[in-house]
Amino acid sequence: LMSLNSTAFSHPPYFLLVGIPGMEKEQFWIAFPVCIMYAIAVLGNITLLLIIKSDPSLHEPMYLFLAMLAFTDLGISTSMLPKMLGVFWLGSREIGFVSCLAQLFFIHTFSLLESGMLVAMALDRYVAICRPLRYSSILSLPVVVALGSLVLVRGVLLVSPACFLLRRMPFCQHHIISHSYCEHMAVVKLACGDTRVNVIYGLFVALSVTGPDILLISVSYTMILRAVMRLSSTEARLKAFSTCVSHICVIVAFYVPGLFSFLTHRFGKSIPPYIHIMMANLYLLVPPTLNPIVYGVRTKKLWDRVVLL
């Protein structure tokens, strides 16, 4: 009896990813724009990394943070997209239990990294505009490395317990994930034990990261706007605004779909599943595609290097 129970309540050897529930027939065609966006994300972010690495004049805090963001974007898109395209084009829906947890770990860790890097870049813009004379002393190389390391450690430490909690959950052979990738709450919903700890921990991580990060970004930009408005020269104002507009676009593209996805998972019972899944996909796909384009075009120093290439 004990062996039967342990078998019944063990985790399944694999899960099946549905893709986009209710749009199984359209998935084949949806994969084409998704693939194009992935190609742009990979090409754009690798180009940014190579340009920043090869040019010593770009080894400044702003560009180092941008390189970290590009690396994070490559991690997010590559953790999700190849398997998603396999589901959409090849019908390769099967993903092993351990592989699913690994995908979940990398997707959520890189998402937290992205949020942290946006905070670091907001801090960089604040120091550059509000404390220009002390810029190099405040954001020295050790400080930039420490900030990047802190963001990385925060992501790993916060996501790891969620994976360990799932590893210990019984699944009663429930193995169909109504999602395009292994997302934390989508996997938690398959468990047949008490999932309150998993749900509360997921909520805690989301609120403890998103809340402070959005607050810090908002405070930084409020202070930046106050400093910009005090500038006497119209040209100086426009230049300061232009350096921040690209960052604000990226922030909106990352947080709005992310918050929508987070809230609909917990409270949006009336929202059709395909809308929720599409938004969750865009949340992880749009920023990595958008970031290299926005920063490459709007940052003159980078754009000059791209033109030279």
Side-chain angles (χ1 to χ4, degrees):
L1 184 63
M2 282 181 67
S3 66
L4 280 172
N5 282 341
S6 64
T7 304
F9 290 102
S10 66
H11 57 72
Y14 61 87
F15 290 115
L16 291 176
L17 292 164
V18 169
I20 305 174
M23 298 187 73
E24 287 83 358
K25 290 180 180 177
E26 293 84 359
Q27 283 177 178
F28 181 85
W29 302 108
I30 292 171
F32 284 97
V34 166
C35 186
I36 291 167
M37 290 175 78
Y38 179 51
I40 293 169
V42 170
L43 183 65
N45 285 297
I46 287 177
T47 302
L48 275 184
L49 285 170
L50 291 175
I51 289 172
I52 293 168
K53 181 179 182 294
S54 62
D55 191 337
S57 72
L58 296 178
H59 295 175
E60 300 171 6
M62 175 183 171
Y63 300 105
L64 294 175
F65 286 135
L66 184 53
M68 293 178 198
L69 186 69
F71 175 77
T72 302
D73 285 338
L74 282 172
I76 286 180
S77 52
T78 304
S79 299
M80 175 185 78
L81 262 296
K83 182 59 188 175
M84 187 191 295
L85 291 173
V87 174
F88 288 0
W89 270 336
L90 307 174
S92 174
R93 297 166 60 204
E94 191 173 301
I95 183 168
F97 183 82
V98 175
S99 300
C100 184
L101 288 188
Q103 187 188 50
L104 185 153
F105 171 79
F106 284 114
I107 286 173
H108 288 292
T109 299
F110 280 119
S111 296
L112 297 192
L113 283 180
E114 180 103 2
S115 184
M117 291 321 305
L118 292 176
V119 174
M121 292 174 81
L123 174 66
D124 171 77
R125 289 301 83 211
Y126 163 73
V127 176
I129 292 170
C130 300
R131 301 284 186 272
L133 299 178
R134 297 185 59 203
Y135 181 75
S136 55
S137 61
I138 294 173
L139 287 177
S140 60
L141 184 59
V143 171
V144 171
V145 172
L147 280 172
S149 303
L150 186 66
V151 169
L152 176 62
V153 169
R154 180 185 74 165
V156 171
L157 289 182
L158 285 175
V159 176
S160 297
C163 296
F164 288 122
L165 284 170
L166 277 173
R167 182 78 176 78
R168 296 171 61 86
M169 288 298 296
F171 283 88
C172 310
Q173 304 308 308
H174 298 158
H175 64 285
I176 297 177
I177 300 175
S178 297
H179 215 298
S180 306
Y181 56 87
C182 288
E183 196 271 344
H184 178 247
M185 281 305 297
V187 178
V188 166
K189 286 177 179 178
L190 298 183
C192 55
D194 186 355
T195 60
R196 278 178 298 180
V197 174
N198 303 67
V199 172
I200 291 168
Y201 185 74
L203 195 62
F204 161 74
V205 170
L207 295 177
S208 66
V209 171
T210 310
D213 285 4
I214 291 177
L215 180 64
L216 285 169
I217 290 169
S218 302
V219 169
S220 295
Y221 276 98
T222 301
M223 296 178 81
I224 287 168
L225 285 172
R226 284 176 61 191
V228 168
M229 294 310 293
R230 285 200 294 265
L231 293 173
S232 55
S233 165
T234 307
E235 188 182 342
R237 279 188 205 169
L238 289 173
K239 188 178 178 183
F241 270 125
S242 70
T243 59
C244 299
V245 165
S246 55
H247 195 183
I248 291 169
C249 289
V250 168
I251 289 165
V252 170
F254 178 72
Y255 283 113
V256 170
L259 287 171
F260 178 86
S261 177
F262 169 75
L263 292 171
T264 50
H265 242 318
R266 288 158 178 81
F267 313 111
K269 305 298 181 187
S270 61
I271 295 172
Y274 69 88
I275 292 178
H276 168 225
I277 304 304
M278 288 286 280
M279 288 298 287
N281 292 345
L282 290 174
Y283 156 62
L284 296 181
L285 183 58
V286 170
T289 308
L290 197 63
N291 290 352
I293 296 171
V294 168
Y295 284 112
V297 171
R298 292 196 64 84
T299 309
K300 187 178 184 302
K301 222 171 175 182
L302 275 176
W303 182 242
D304 291 344
R305 303 303 185 279
V306 173
V307 171
L308 279 174
L309 280 177

